[in-house]
Structure formats: C-alpha cells, structure tokens
Amino acid sequence: MDQSRRFIVPGENRILASLSRDLQLRLLPRMEKISLSVKQILYDGPDPIGHAYFPLSGVVSLLIRFKSGETVEVATIGNEGLAGTPLVLGAERAPLKAVCQVGGQALKMRADNFRRSLDEHPAFAEIVRRYAQRLFDQVAQTTACNQMHSVPQRMCRWLLTTHDRVGAEFHLTQECLAQTLGVRRPSVTVVAGELQKAGLIRYQRGRIHIVERAGLEAGACECYESLRRELEGLFSGVPS
C-alpha cells in the first residue's frame, strides 16, 4: 500500500481495530451495522445526538450553518474516526451538522451505550479521547486552510483525503463539493475542469476518479500533509 495511505484499511474502523480482540468482542454487541447514504443526516443542531457512528467506509462531513442557509465544511470523518465526539465531553447536542458526503457503511452505538462503554473500558476511552483531540485539530486546520489557501489547493487536499479513505473512485456532486469548500458552484466547475484537463481526475455525472495522485499532491496545500501526519500519530504504536 502507498505510504500515504497506510493508516487506512478499507472495511474496518481504525479506532475499533486498534483495540484488543477481547475488547472488540465486548463492544460489538452494543453496535449495529448500517448503510450510510449520500446526504443522510447523522445529527443536526438543536436535536440530541442519539448515536455515535464508527464509519467503515464513506465520508461524513461536519458542517457549520449560517443564517443565510449556506453551510461550510469544517472537518471530515472517515474510517479512521467517529462521528459523535461531543458525547465524549458529556454534551448531548452540537452546533455542527453531521452529514454523509460519500456513501458507505458504519457501526452505530446508542449514546447511552457509548458513554457506558467509555466508563467501563479505559482503553476505549483513551483512543476515543485522542481521536477527539485530532478532530479538534482538524477543525482548526481546516478553518485556517479556508482562509489562507486557494480553491484549487483546497480541492486537491479534499480529493486526496477522500482517496485515502475510499479509494480511487467515488460519487460526489458539484453541489456537495461547493458546500465542502465553501465556494459557489461555478468555482467548483472551473477548478474540476482544470484538474480534469491536466489529467489528474476524471469527473463525469457526479463520479470522480483519481487518475494521477502525484499531481494532486503537488497541487495541494500544506494542510493535507499536516492532517495526514496527525492521523499517523494517532495510531502510532497502537496495534491493529
């Protein structure tokens, strides 16, 4: 496997895979395997967070919503993490909206079972809290990235991160990309066209195929490498 993708293993959740087999067997009965469809909302604003979600595939976006109705992505979650980190801190709600951007599968655990599992199993609580810190760091990095870097750089970063999680081909509409990058749809059309003309991607009818990863890496901002190192550090020394 490419060194840049060594921390992602398709079909498993890295948080759960880092735990001992015995602990996994204790936790799995409290979970339910589900399919996540594009635009499916996992939790949103004033509503209580009912479940923690451990993606096995696909990508979940954390979005902040403005009074105008527009939303901007501040973090993404793949099979390296979990959606529902406010529960770790004892919160029942979150100001962010969690929505599936790339379809896949996940294991979900009821909020009460999630909290009980954190209390009962220190090793589980430790890796979950470490991930929560990494997610906070990602929010900070993404916020800075949206201010400092160009749309092409940010799109390359997002495509690389998604490639790491789900492979070379995935479904993503221009509407979702615009929401993800916090720009107007025409800007996405122009940049996607430029990347396709350069032979880096193929983009047709909402399907993106990564053709030349090295070219995307050359075009991405420094935030991609920074976030990648953060994930590597999360599981460094943790057996899978």
Side-chain angles (χ1 to χ4, degrees):
M1 181 178 290
D2 189 321
Q3 282 292 99
S4 66
R5 301 178 60 197
R6 66 174 183 240
F7 54 88
I8 300 298
V9 180
E12 73 174 20
N13 181 272
R14 290 290 285 121
I15 287 180
L16 300 177
S18 73
L19 304 174
S20 69
R21 182 61 177 166
D22 178 69
L23 183 46
Q24 290 180 45
L25 291 174
R26 291 173 181 269
L27 294 173
L28 286 175
R30 298 177 179 177
M31 298 180 175
E32 175 188 356
K33 189 174 183 179
I34 62 169
S35 294
L36 297 177
S37 58
V38 176
K39 296 186 178 181
Q40 180 177 340
I41 298 171
L42 307 187
Y43 55 84
D44 188 10
D47 298 327
I49 300 174
H51 297 83
Y53 296 84
F54 296 82
L56 303 173
S57 56
V59 178
V60 174
S61 289
L62 296 184
L63 308 170
I64 187 166
R65 182 163 43 202
F66 297 93
K67 288 183 178 180
S68 64
E70 294 180 309
T71 56
V72 176
E73 183 181 88
V74 295
T76 57
I77 302 164
N79 61 341
E80 80 290 340
L82 72 97
T85 52
L87 297 171
V88 181
L89 303 176
E92 294 185 356
R93 295 170 174 81
L96 301 178
K97 177 180 181 180
V99 60
C100 179
Q101 291 282 41
V102 179
Q105 293 185 315
L107 295 171
K108 73 174 183 179
M109 180 186 285
R110 282 201 337 249
D112 57 342
N113 282 334
F114 180 67
R115 292 193 183 99
R116 181 155 57 98
S117 298
L118 293 175
D119 291 338
E120 292 176 353
H121 304 295
F124 179 54
E126 171 66 17
I127 189 65
V128 165
R129 286 172 184 143
R130 286 175 59 193
Y131 173 72
Q133 178 61 54
R134 293 301 192 280
L135 187 62
F136 176 83
D137 294 343
Q138 184 189 159
V139 171
Q141 185 88 39
T142 302
T143 301
C145 182
N146 288 343
Q147 289 294 318
M148 298 297 295
H149 298 135
S150 68
V151 175
Q153 287 176 312
R154 286 152 48 202
M155 185 179 291
C156 287
R157 168 181 63 80
W158 202 95
L159 292 173
L160 287 167
T161 301
T162 305
H163 183 211
D164 288 344
R165 289 163 168 160
V166 302
E169 185 170 314
F170 47 91
H171 184 271
L172 191 72
T173 65
Q174 289 192 1
E175 177 187 358
C176 286
L177 261 176
Q179 176 179 264
T180 292
L181 299 171
V183 298
R184 301 292 183 185
R185 185 170 173 175
S187 298
V188 170
T189 302
V190 170
V191 175
E194 291 173 349
L195 295 178
Q196 183 159 252
K197 186 177 180 180
L200 305 185
I201 66 171
R202 287 200 301 270
Y203 189 30
Q204 187 176 23
R205 296 179 181 177
R207 293 209 68 83
I208 295 179
H209 183 86
I210 306 299
V211 177
E212 181 53 63
R213 182 183 171 93
L216 291 177
E217 290 177 345
C221 56
E222 63 196 75
C223 298
Y224 170 68
E225 279 296 324
S226 178
L227 293 171
R228 184 176 72 89
R229 286 194 301 269
E230 285 290 320
L231 282 182
E232 289 178 338
L234 173 63
F235 297 109
S236 178
V238 178
S240 54

